Amino acid sequence: MNNETKAPRGVLAKSMGFSLALALLFTLVANLLPQVEGEAPVDQEVDLGALTMDSYVALGETLFSGKGTCALCHNDLGRAPDILAINMVEVANQHLQDERYKGSATDAESYLHESLVDPGIYVVKDYGKKGSNDTISPMPAVDKSPIELSEIEINAIIAFMQAKDGYDVTVPLPTEAAAAEPASPEVQKSADTIEAVVAKYSCQACHVILGSGGDLGPALQQMAGRFTREEIRQGIIAPDEVIAEGFPPGVMPQDLAEQMTVKELDILVDYLAGHGKSAATSPASPAATHAEGAVDSDTESMISSFGCLACHVMLGSGGKIGPGLDDIGSRLSAEEIRQSIIDPNAVIAKGFPSGVMPLNYSAQMSEMQLDALVDFLWERK
Ligand code: HEC
Ligand code: HEC
Ligand code: HEC
């Protein structure tokens, strides 16, 4: 197995852009439909009746490398099956017949849909999370945060996967009624300037970039000339492959590839590869002054934001679906606590149901958040 399938981990405190999924969809559609391009102000509703299957497929292709972030993993680097290079419909039909397949799909379309919203149902051999023996998928559910594709967008991507290899598209064209469904109200907007990307991912918590920042990691001002674009790209999405001399491994977030859109990564690489030298004179961004706070280390707020209290009693409140955690440190070691969070099914607490605790925390938390959480719980004795 290649070394790029490191367990994906979490989420640094993120600044979410709030906008309506529909507005975004309409904007995308507007950009794709020649007849409205140029004349339609961004917020003007596009008549979905005018949407052709060709433009729907094109929307899917745009989403694949854009908002869907699919191309971050599904490319020729071996991290995930190279969907653009393989015949995905044929592969879907094969996997449907596999004895390991436990889902409820009946054809390629429903299989693809299921793969997107519930990737763990069938994990392609050798692509599972490290150590999970192909039982846990590193792929995030694309209808959930942070990707949050709407049903219309998911179907557009399925349409694209069918059409690219010459199959008839079987998903329906969206109707106005479907578009009116309340899609997820929060859509993470792709940041579109270097300042916005740096602030969104808190690079300045650890690096001097854009003229200011911390010193946990090397200053990023002088990369141009010393590193190729590819090395810079790797430094961001696979930071532990090569460790900068004099700096600790495992500190730089390992999951930026999952969180960033292709566009954001390009903005960073372009900037670091091209403008490293002139950056020193840029004014300090406000993010720098909050560098510490930008990395979410406030454990109690983390516990509430991850919804642990829905099922566990802790700090005097919470649900009883899972065991109380106020004495967890006296029952489990730090390592066991860690495992219960990132791989809850590995050991099931006696008297409690398996399969209830969410399986995707490791994909939602950064390593630092997990460490903070484990330390915090381990001290509950
Ligand atoms: C963080 C990396 C990552 C992202 C982002 C991601 N995937 Fe995946 N995906 C994987 C991995 C790894 C697998 C193989 C393991 C598995 O079967 O779950 C996979 C499996 C799949 C499969 C099933 C393949 C099969 O043969 O059964 C499909 C279809 C798929 N992804 C489509 C997508 C689409 C479409 C997107 C974007 C909306 C996407 N993925 C985003 C990593 C990712
Ligand atoms: C929590 C601290 C932290 C954050 C946040 C962080 N990094 Fe890093 N980064 C490090 C450390 C430590 C290293 C050196 C160890 C290594 O190479 O992995 C590093 C290494 C790098 C390197 C390789 C540098 C070299 O000289 O080889 C690049 C490029 C980089 N980071 C870019 C970024 C970008 C861009 C962001 C924001 C998107 C970011 N980092 C966020 C800590 C961090
Ligand atoms: C939807 C319900 C649910 C949520 C949300 C949830 N858990 Fe759990 N958790 C469970 C159940 C049920 C168990 C017992 C079965 C098992 O061990 O998997 C459990 C087990 C555990 C255990 C092992 C307890 C023991 O005594 O062995 C720990 C530690 C734990 N959860 C921590 C957390 C943390 C931390 C969060 C938030 C990040 C969280 N859980 C969120 C349901 C949940």
Side-chain angles (χ1 to χ4, degrees), residues 84-137:
L84 297 180
I86 61 179
N87 182 330
M88 194 59 232
V89 172
E90 194 180 299
V91 169
N93 283 321
Q94 284 162 7
H95 288 167
L96 268 174
Q97 308 301 324
D98 190 311
E99 53 176 16
R100 288 199 301 127
Y101 179 68
K102 298 282 184 291
S104 52
T106 50
D107 55 17
E109 179 193 327
S110 50
Y111 178 88
L112 291 173
H113 190 278
E114 191 180 68
S115 306
L116 297 187
V117 299
D118 202 350
I121 292 253
Y122 178 88
V123 180
V124 182
K125 193 167 174 306
D126 291 341
Y127 284 105
K129 249 188 207 179
K130 223 182 212 160
S132 78
N133 197 18
D134 292 335
T135 56
I136 303 181
S137 174

Side-chain angles (χ1 to χ4, degrees), residues 307-308 311-312 321 323 331-332 340 344 347-349 352-353 356-358 361:
C308 317
C311 303
H312 295 283
I321 297 170
R331 289 188 282 123
L332 302 183
S340 329
V347 180
I348 305 298
F352 290 92
V356 173
M357 169 129 171
Y361 280 127

